[in-house]
Amino acid sequence: MKKLFLTGIGFFLAMSLIFAQQTTPEENATKVVTELVTKLTLNDEQKTAVSPIVLDQEKAIAAVIQDTTTTADVKKESITKLQGESDSKIALLLTDEQKVAFKKYIEERPAVSIPATPAPTEQKENNNENSNQQQ
């Protein structure tokens, strides 16, 4: 009985970790804006102006990640481009002191990581090669 109980608890903990990793673009945007407010000491006007920029970026990133027709490298390039566009829009709203801190924030930001998924054409070619080898 004790083993069954512990197994059940372990299962629920594992499931909660899986679901905890799936966040919405809105949640991601809120997290990023909060971090920017803290690190750059944004005022209320700046926070209000930065929020839609970050939200649009997060929605676009989510769309890129969910696109199954592109490779991981193309996704990384797209996300990097989206981040660059958002960074330049945000930089226009900052004071000179905040720009220095923002530049440091960008440099310390973790690199984009996308799980590798082969392109659909590569999958077809691999399937054809495998079927030819089996015959």
Side-chain angles (χ1 to χ4, degrees):
M1 186 67 180
K2 195 175 192 180
K3 289 180 183 178
L4 181 62
F5 181 71
L6 291 174
T7 303
I9 289 176
F11 174 75
F12 285 113
L13 287 174
M15 292 303 291
S16 67
L17 287 175
I18 290 171
F19 289 115
Q21 293 175 358
Q22 299 172 350
T23 58
T24 65
E26 290 80 9
E27 291 169 338
N28 289 340
T30 302
K31 181 181 172 185
V32 170
V33 169
T34 302
E35 191 173 351
L36 289 174
V37 167
T38 303
K39 292 191 177 198
L40 306 178
T41 58
L42 299 178
N43 61 34
D44 290 337
E45 280 182 32
Q46 290 172 319
K47 180 181 176 184
T48 303
V50 166
S51 293
I53 296 170
V54 174
L55 180 59
D56 290 344
Q57 171 192 323
E58 291 298 328
K59 286 181 179 179
I61 288 173
V64 167
I65 290 173
Q66 291 176 353
D67 183 6
T68 58
T69 62
T70 57
T71 63
D73 290 336
V74 173
K75 288 179 183 182
K76 284 182 184 180
E77 288 177 23
S78 298
I79 291 171
T80 302
K81 182 180 176 186
L82 288 168
Q83 285 179 335
E85 291 170 359
S86 295
D87 291 345
S88 51
K89 289 178 186 176
I90 292 170
L92 294 173
L93 304 169
L94 303 176
T95 65
D96 291 337
E97 294 168 356
Q98 290 172 326
K99 286 180 183 179
V100 172
F102 186 56
K103 185 177 179 183
K104 183 179 177 186
Y105 169 80
I106 291 171
E107 291 170 358
E108 293 174 352
R109 182 170 50 200
V112 176
S113 63
I114 305 285
T117 53
T121 56
E122 291 176 8
Q123 287 178 340
K124 288 179 186 176
E125 290 173 8
N126 289 340
N127 288 341
N128 289 340
E129 288 175 14
N130 290 339
S131 62
N132 289 340
Q133 288 175 355
Q134 290 176 355
Q135 294 174 356

